[in-house]
Amino acid sequence: MDDLIAAARDALRDAHVPYSEYRVGAALRTADGAVYTGCNIENANYSNSLHAEEVAVAEAVKNGHREFDRIAVSSGVRDGVTPCGMCRQTLTEFAAADLVVVCDEGDGETSEYALGELLPNTIHEGTLDDAREA
């Protein structure tokens, strides 16, 4: 099994999911090889819930990292979950379109995507610069 998938599976064990009972773990690898993990943390006010990918990005950024090359995502049911749109946009803030997104299908199977494939035509710093100049 891919080490990053294993780290994502380990992280999902810490998920706080009293409402959906849908555990998600993420493991994010920095450009220099460090790995940061996150799990989903639900809140009764659903909009305040944190997604596993966001938690992993926050932990990495908090520790001074701004460049990433790979992220793995796993759910408790091993259904090939991909990052949601909000998480894809968060990843785009710090990663290029070629960031490898590995999704756990279970039984040693994975699906891989490029971030740009999952979220084409993103909002990025250049988008905002263009808007200011218009």
Side-chain angles (χ1 to χ4, degrees):
M1 177 184 350
D2 181 292
D3 289 344
L4 220 49
I5 288 288
R9 284 184 179 184
D10 286 345
L12 71 83
R13 292 183 189 136
D14 294 324
H16 175 74
V17 291
Y19 308 105
S20 72
E21 298 181 13
Y22 186 77
R23 296 177 177 279
V24 177
L28 178 65
R29 188 174 70 196
T30 67
D32 65 1
V35 174
Y36 291 89
T37 61
C39 61
N40 55 330
I41 304 168
E42 293 180 349
N43 186 297
N45 176 352
Y46 293 131
S47 65
N48 289 354
S49 295
L50 300 173
H51 298 193
E53 301 90 334
E54 292 178 295
V55 174
V57 168
E59 189 66 24
V61 169
K62 182 183 83 171
N63 283 283
H65 296 278
R66 301 289 189 280
E67 296 180 20
F68 309 107
D69 64 7
R70 191 172 177 91
I71 187 167
V73 185
S74 181
S75 76
V77 294
R78 311 287 194 267
D79 57 357
V81 65
T82 64
C84 73
M86 183 174 68
C87 290
R88 294 172 190 187
Q89 183 63 50
T90 298
L91 288 164
T92 297
E93 184 71 18
F94 299 100
D98 64 352
L99 174 81
V100 176
V101 180
V102 182
C103 304
D104 188 359
E105 301 280 353
D107 295 326
E109 298 294 320
T110 60
S111 296
E112 287 192 14
Y113 305 92
L115 179 59
E117 177 185 1
L118 293 173
L119 187 66
N121 304 316
T122 62
I123 298 169
H124 50 81
E125 186 176 358
T127 307
L128 301 178
D129 290 342
D130 291 346
R132 283 191 278 273
E133 293 172 7

